[in-house]
Amino acid sequence: MLEGLPFTLRLALAGGPWRWRPAPSGRCAGVWPRRGLSRPAGRCVPPRLSAAARSESLSMASPRPVASAAAAVFARQDCNNGCSAEYTEEGGSKEVVDTFKAKDLIITPATVLKEKPDPDTLVFGTVFTDHMLTVEWSSESGWEKPHIKPLQNLSLHPGSSAFHYAVELFEGLKAFRGVDNKIRLFRPKLNMDRMYRSAMRATLPAFDKEELLECIQQLVKLDQEWVPYSTSASLYIRPTFIGTEPSLGVKKPTKALIFVILSPVGPYFSSGSFNPVSLWANPKYVRAWKGGTGDCKMGGNYGSSLFAQCEAIENACQQVLWLYGEDNQITEVGTMNLFLYWINENGEEELATPPLDGIILPGVTRQSILDLAHNWGEFKVSERYLTMDDLTTALEESRVREMFGSGTACVVCPVSKILYKGEYGREESDWTILVS
């Protein structure tokens, strides 16, 4: 997969200019023409801050004094009572982490194995393998022994904090079967790092990332026949971490559960792999904000986005392009990080993506694209702020070459058009011949 990824990205990056045109009947239709990448390499520069962002950075740099010494004391007491060092320190409590041991893994194989599906007919996330991994935790005894068991329903108290206050998070990574028939995980340590950061933000207990990854590898080995014998399908791995304390109090949980399930998957979008998708951009909805949890992979970020997603579909678009701030900064798509390949305002050929400023999920595929593009050295690569005005101006001046999204589920997906203020951008391709 690593060897094939640059070629895939080159296909996704190849595109042509487009411009804004009225959308007939509010529909998003049309595709961008393809164009090769042949311009000289550019130089990497630090991200550009918009005027609003620069102003905000200056105001945030000024410390806010505590009203009184008493207020400072109460603030410290509140933090100490609510968040122990186990949750606030980067590494978490060593005592808690050390109780998580892959060598203690218990494996209970399923006695009846299900029939494997045809990889060409898979619907994303609807079929599950024979086994799952569970690891329970409590504040009294730490981590219990990891257990791989037959896939089964969970038994949880209805007062569990995950149900009431969304004390939970999840991850998504994939296992691929190569042409040599060997099974590989794609950059799983980045997923473990992100899962750990999300856990700290959710006040869920610290865990040993290497030990959990070893347990996941053992689960994939046990269900290895579920990894599709196909280059267009893979095995999706879904680690999930939830608070399970039966209490209606709003507080960090004293009980938690990690579980991992597996699902053979094909393309995320029904239109198929690498087929362009349409986006709906409307500033009336906001996915995340500074100081929030937009950079964590938590279910609440996704559940609260469904209403806007439904409106996007009503406007004949497949996904939401989330905007932020008064200047309508481009952030990300509901299931993807976003990239723009264009000729920037300085006349440079550039691959740009919004920076990780706390409101954007740090995607593994996003990071991989940046790493590859830097290594290629064929054009300027930037993490910078982009606004809808930047994009519309570039479209009007025919400086946009391609826009695409990236994510574990969708891999790399070209964007065909964006519906914004009743208009969308696209360009007729000179590669086509009009028949009628």
Coordinates of all heavy atoms in Angstrom, one line a residue, residues 194-225:
R194 N -3.0 9.5 18.5 CA -4.2 10.3 18.4 C -5.3 9.8 19.4 O -6.0 10.6 20.1 CB -4.8 10.4 17.0 CG -6.0 11.3 16.8 CD -6.3 11.5 15.4 NE -6.9 10.2 14.9 CZ -7.2 10.0 13.6 NH1 -7.0 11.0 12.7 NH2 -7.6 8.9 13.1
M195 N -5.4 8.5 19.5 CA -6.3 7.9 20.5 C -6.0 8.3 21.9 O -6.9 8.6 22.7 CB -6.4 6.4 20.3 CG -7.4 5.7 21.2 SD -7.5 3.9 20.8 CE -8.6 3.4 22.1
Y196 N -4.7 8.3 22.2 CA -4.2 8.6 23.5 C -4.5 10.1 23.9 O -5.0 10.4 24.9 CB -2.7 8.4 23.7 CG -2.2 8.5 25.1 CD1 -2.1 7.3 25.9 CD2 -1.8 9.7 25.6 CE1 -1.6 7.4 27.2 CE2 -1.4 9.8 26.9 CZ -1.3 8.6 27.7 OH -0.8 8.7 29.0
R197 N -4.3 11.0 22.9 CA -4.6 12.4 23.1 C -6.1 12.6 23.3 O -6.5 13.4 24.2 CB -4.1 13.2 21.9 CG -2.6 13.3 21.8 CD -2.2 14.4 20.8 NE -2.7 14.2 19.5 CZ -2.1 13.5 18.5 NH1 -0.9 13.0 18.7 NH2 -2.6 13.3 17.3
S198 N -6.9 11.9 22.5 CA -8.4 12.0 22.7 C -8.8 11.5 24.1 O -9.7 12.1 24.7 CB -9.1 11.2 21.6 OG -8.8 11.7 20.3
A199 N -8.2 10.4 24.5 CA -8.5 9.9 25.9 C -8.2 10.9 27.0 O -9.0 11.1 27.9 CB -7.7 8.6 26.1
M200 N -7.0 11.6 26.9 CA -6.7 12.6 27.9 C -7.7 13.7 27.9 O -8.1 14.2 28.9 CB -5.3 13.1 27.6 CG -4.2 12.1 27.7 SD -4.0 11.3 29.3 CE -4.9 9.8 29.1
R201 N -8.2 14.1 26.7 CA -9.2 15.2 26.6 C -10.5 14.8 27.2 O -11.3 15.6 27.7 CB -9.3 15.6 25.2 CG -10.2 16.8 24.9 CD -9.6 18.1 25.6 NE -10.3 19.3 25.1 CZ -11.4 19.8 25.7 NH1 -11.9 19.1 26.8 NH2 -12.0 20.9 25.3
A202 N -10.8 13.5 27.1 CA -12.1 13.0 27.5 C -12.1 12.5 29.0 O -13.1 12.0 29.5 CB -12.6 11.8 26.7
T203 N -10.9 12.7 29.7 CA -10.7 12.2 31.0 C -10.9 10.7 31.2 O -11.2 10.2 32.2 CB -11.6 12.9 32.1 OG1 -12.9 12.5 32.0 CG2 -11.4 14.4 32.0
L204 N -10.6 10.0 30.1 CA -10.5 8.5 30.1 C -9.1 8.1 30.5 O -8.2 8.9 30.4 CB -10.9 7.9 28.8 CG -12.4 8.0 28.5 CD1 -12.7 7.8 27.0 CD2 -13.2 7.1 29.3
P205 N -9.0 6.9 31.1 CA -7.7 6.5 31.7 C -6.5 6.4 30.7 O -6.8 6.0 29.5 CB -8.0 5.2 32.4 CG -9.2 4.7 31.7 CD -10.0 5.9 31.3
A206 N -5.3 6.6 31.1 CA -4.2 6.4 30.3 C -4.0 4.9 30.0 O -4.4 4.0 30.8 CB -2.9 6.9 31.0
F207 N -3.4 4.6 28.8 CA -3.2 3.2 28.4 C -1.8 3.1 27.7 O -1.3 4.2 27.3 CB -4.3 2.7 27.5 CG -4.5 3.4 26.3 CD1 -3.8 3.0 25.1 CD2 -5.3 4.5 26.2 CE1 -3.9 3.8 23.9 CE2 -5.5 5.2 25.0 CZ -4.8 4.9 23.9
D208 N -1.3 2.0 27.6 CA 0.0 1.8 27.0 C -0.3 1.6 25.5 O -0.9 0.6 25.1 CB 0.8 0.6 27.5 CG 2.2 0.5 27.0 OD1 2.4 0.4 25.8 OD2 3.1 0.6 27.8
K209 N 0.2 2.5 24.7 CA -0.1 2.5 23.2 C 0.5 1.3 22.5 O -0.1 0.7 21.7 CB 0.4 3.8 22.6 CG -0.4 5.1 23.1 CD 0.2 6.3 22.5 CE 1.5 6.7 23.1 NZ 2.0 8.0 22.7
E210 N 1.7 0.9 22.9 CA 2.3 -0.2 22.3 C 1.6 -1.5 22.7 O 1.5 -2.4 21.8 CB 3.8 -0.3 22.7 CG 4.7 0.9 22.2 CD 4.8 0.9 20.7 OE1 4.7 -0.2 20.1 OE2 5.1 1.9 20.1
E211 N 1.2 -1.6 23.9 CA 0.5 -2.8 24.3 C -0.8 -3.0 23.6 O -1.2 -4.1 23.2 CB 0.4 -2.8 25.9 CG 1.7 -2.8 26.7 CD 2.5 -4.0 26.5 OE1 1.9 -5.1 26.6 OE2 3.7 -3.9 26.3
L212 N -1.5 -1.9 23.5 CA -2.8 -2.0 22.8 C -2.6 -2.3 21.3 O -3.4 -3.2 20.8 CB -3.6 -0.6 22.9 CG -4.9 -0.5 22.1 CD1 -5.9 -1.6 22.6 CD2 -5.5 0.9 22.3
L213 N -1.6 -1.7 20.7 CA -1.4 -2.1 19.3 C -1.0 -3.5 19.1 O -1.4 -4.2 18.2 CB -0.2 -1.2 18.8 CG 0.1 -1.4 17.3 CD1 -1.0 -1.2 16.4 CD2 1.3 -0.4 16.9
E214 N -0.3 -4.1 20.1 CA 0.1 -5.5 20.0 C -1.2 -6.4 20.1 O -1.3 -7.4 19.4 CB 1.0 -5.9 21.1 CG 1.4 -7.4 21.2 CD 2.0 -7.9 20.0 OE1 2.7 -7.2 19.2 OE2 1.8 -9.1 19.7
C215 N -2.1 -6.0 21.0 CA -3.4 -6.7 21.1 C -4.2 -6.6 19.8 O -4.8 -7.6 19.4 CB -4.2 -6.2 22.3 SG -3.5 -6.5 23.9
I216 N -4.2 -5.5 19.2 CA -4.9 -5.3 17.9 C -4.3 -6.2 16.8 O -5.0 -6.8 16.0 CB -4.9 -3.8 17.5 CG1 -5.8 -3.0 18.5 CG2 -5.4 -3.6 16.1 CD1 -5.7 -1.5 18.3
Q217 N -3.0 -6.2 16.8 CA -2.3 -7.1 15.8 C -2.7 -8.5 16.0 O -2.9 -9.3 15.0 CB -0.8 -6.9 15.9 CG -0.3 -5.6 15.5 CD 1.2 -5.5 15.5 OE1 2.0 -6.2 14.8 NE2 1.7 -4.6 16.4
Q218 N -2.8 -9.0 17.2 CA -3.2 -10.4 17.5 C -4.7 -10.6 17.0 O -5.0 -11.7 16.5 CB -3.1 -10.7 19.0 CG -1.6 -10.7 19.5 CD -0.8 -11.7 18.8 OE1 -1.2 -12.8 18.5 NE2 0.5 -11.3 18.5
L219 N -5.5 -9.6 17.2 CA -6.9 -9.7 16.7 C -6.9 -9.8 15.2 O -7.7 -10.7 14.7 CB -7.7 -8.5 17.2 CG -9.1 -8.4 16.7 CD1 -10.0 -9.6 17.3 CD2 -9.8 -7.1 17.1
V220 N -6.2 -9.0 14.5 CA -6.1 -9.1 13.1 C -5.6 -10.4 12.6 O -6.1 -11.0 11.6 CB -5.3 -7.9 12.5 CG1 -5.2 -8.0 11.0 CG2 -6.0 -6.6 12.8
K221 N -4.6 -10.9 13.3 CA -4.0 -12.2 12.9 C -5.0 -13.3 13.0 O -5.1 -14.2 12.2 CB -2.8 -12.5 13.8 CG -1.5 -11.8 13.5 CD -0.4 -12.2 14.4 CE 0.9 -11.3 14.1 NZ 2.0 -11.7 15.1
L222 N -5.8 -13.3 14.1 CA -6.9 -14.3 14.3 C -7.9 -14.2 13.2 O -8.4 -15.3 12.7 CB -7.5 -14.1 15.7 CG -8.5 -15.2 16.1 CD1 -7.9 -16.6 16.1 CD2 -9.1 -14.8 17.5
D223 N -8.3 -13.0 12.8 CA -9.3 -12.8 11.7 C -8.7 -12.5 10.4 O -9.3 -11.8 9.6 CB -10.3 -11.7 12.2 CG -11.3 -12.2 13.1 OD1 -11.5 -13.5 13.2 OD2 -12.0 -11.4 13.7
Q224 N -7.5 -13.0 10.1 CA -6.8 -12.6 8.9 C -7.5 -13.0 7.6 O -7.3 -12.3 6.6 CB -5.4 -13.1 8.9 CG -5.2 -14.6 9.0 CD -3.8 -15.1 9.0 OE1 -3.0 -14.9 8.1 NE2 -3.4 -15.6 10.2
E225 N -8.3 -14.0 7.7 CA -9.0 -14.4 6.4 C -10.1 -13.4 6.1 O -10.7 -13.5 5.0 CB -9.6 -15.8 6.6 CG -8.5 -16.9 6.5 CD -7.8 -16.8 5.2 OE1 -8.4 -16.8 4.1 OE2 -6.5 -16.8 5.2

